[in-house]
Amino acid sequence: MTAVGSDAAAAVRVMRAVPADATWLTTLSQQMPMHRIRCSLGDDVRAALQALRRPDIRFTDPDLADAHRHLVNALIHLVDEFDGTYAPDSPGPVTYTEVPPEWKRIDRNRYDQALRDLSRARDTVLDRYEELMTTMSSTGNMPSPQDPAPAQGFTVSSGDHSPINLNAAHATNGATASAGTNQPTASSPSVPWYRSNLFYTAISAIGTVGATVIAYFALVK
């Protein structure tokens, strides 16, 4: 495998490990107050970190290797900051950790510093993610959306002997395939699926209204 080929394969694995519509990325990109961290968010971030550290994600291009390492290090730091929060002193299962609210009364500087550290770690992850996406794009290694599998086709003749092309759609995962004749379709301009200057807007637009409301009331006291 060539160096370019190995980088392209590694880029595909990156996008599988940390897709742009990942729930944890959507939540972080909303840049809500970080005084309370849902356990599910922490679990998702740790899983993404573990996936990015797999041995089959290795880049030969120095810029790609650096961008990948920067994102991994940013995630490590964010996990460290999450680990510095505490479970609430209340009965029942733990669903979140937090910067202890009593710090606001007994040590306001410590409380504010903890929030700044968490927010800075979150923003660094978002910046490093964008850096990696931009570098993969600029080096020609940004994966394109998966195209459907090519259809199987054959030609028959109608009553007047004019050819009719039939295509059988490919079905996966137990789905039902269909068949039909070729029909001309209007062409539409090709738009890159990823644009770095619209990164945060695209990420935020992915979540539904329901997910946003749930995340807001979970994170804001």
Side-chain angles (χ1 to χ4, degrees), residues 35-163:
H35 63 282
R36 181 173 293 178
I37 310 298
R38 288 196 62 84
C39 294
S40 57
L41 174 61
D43 291 342
D44 288 346
V45 170
R46 290 177 178 88
L49 173 59
Q50 182 177 3
L52 281 176
R53 300 176 84 175
R54 287 172 45 184
D56 59 349
I57 300 182
R58 291 188 178 181
F59 292 103
T60 58
D61 182 282
D63 292 337
L64 283 170
D66 286 345
H68 173 253
R69 185 177 66 255
H70 293 163
L71 178 56
V72 168
N73 290 340
L75 286 169
I76 291 173
H77 182 55
L78 182 60
V79 169
D80 287 342
E81 291 298 331
F82 284 175
D83 289 343
T85 57
Y86 298 82
D89 186 14
S90 59
V94 176
T95 59
Y96 66 90
T97 60
E98 63 183 353
V99 178
E102 60 268 20
W103 287 4
K104 287 189 289 186
R105 300 188 306 272
I106 61 177
D107 194 343
R108 185 60 190 237
N109 289 337
R110 183 182 183 186
Y111 181 83
D112 291 343
Q113 185 62 51
L115 292 184
R116 283 193 295 269
D117 291 343
L118 282 162
S119 298
R120 189 179 299 114
R122 173 203 62 203
D123 294 344
T124 300
V125 166
L126 295 173
D127 290 343
R128 295 298 176 248
Y129 183 85
E130 183 177 9
E131 175 192 2
L132 180 55
M133 297 299 104
T134 301
T135 305
M136 290 198 307
S137 179
S138 65
T139 57
N141 289 288
M142 175 62 73
S144 299
Q146 292 296 318
D147 295 326
Q152 296 178 344
F154 55 93
T155 302
V156 298
S157 296
S158 64
D160 60 358
H161 303 290
S162 59

Side-chain angles (χ1 to χ4, degrees), residues 175-204:
T176 301
S178 60
T181 60
N182 284 344
Q183 298 291 336
T185 56
S187 61
S188 58
S190 176
V191 179
W193 81 275
Y194 173 81
R195 293 180 177 179
S196 60
N197 62 325
L198 294 179
F199 171 73
Y200 293 120
T201 302
I203 287 290
S204 298

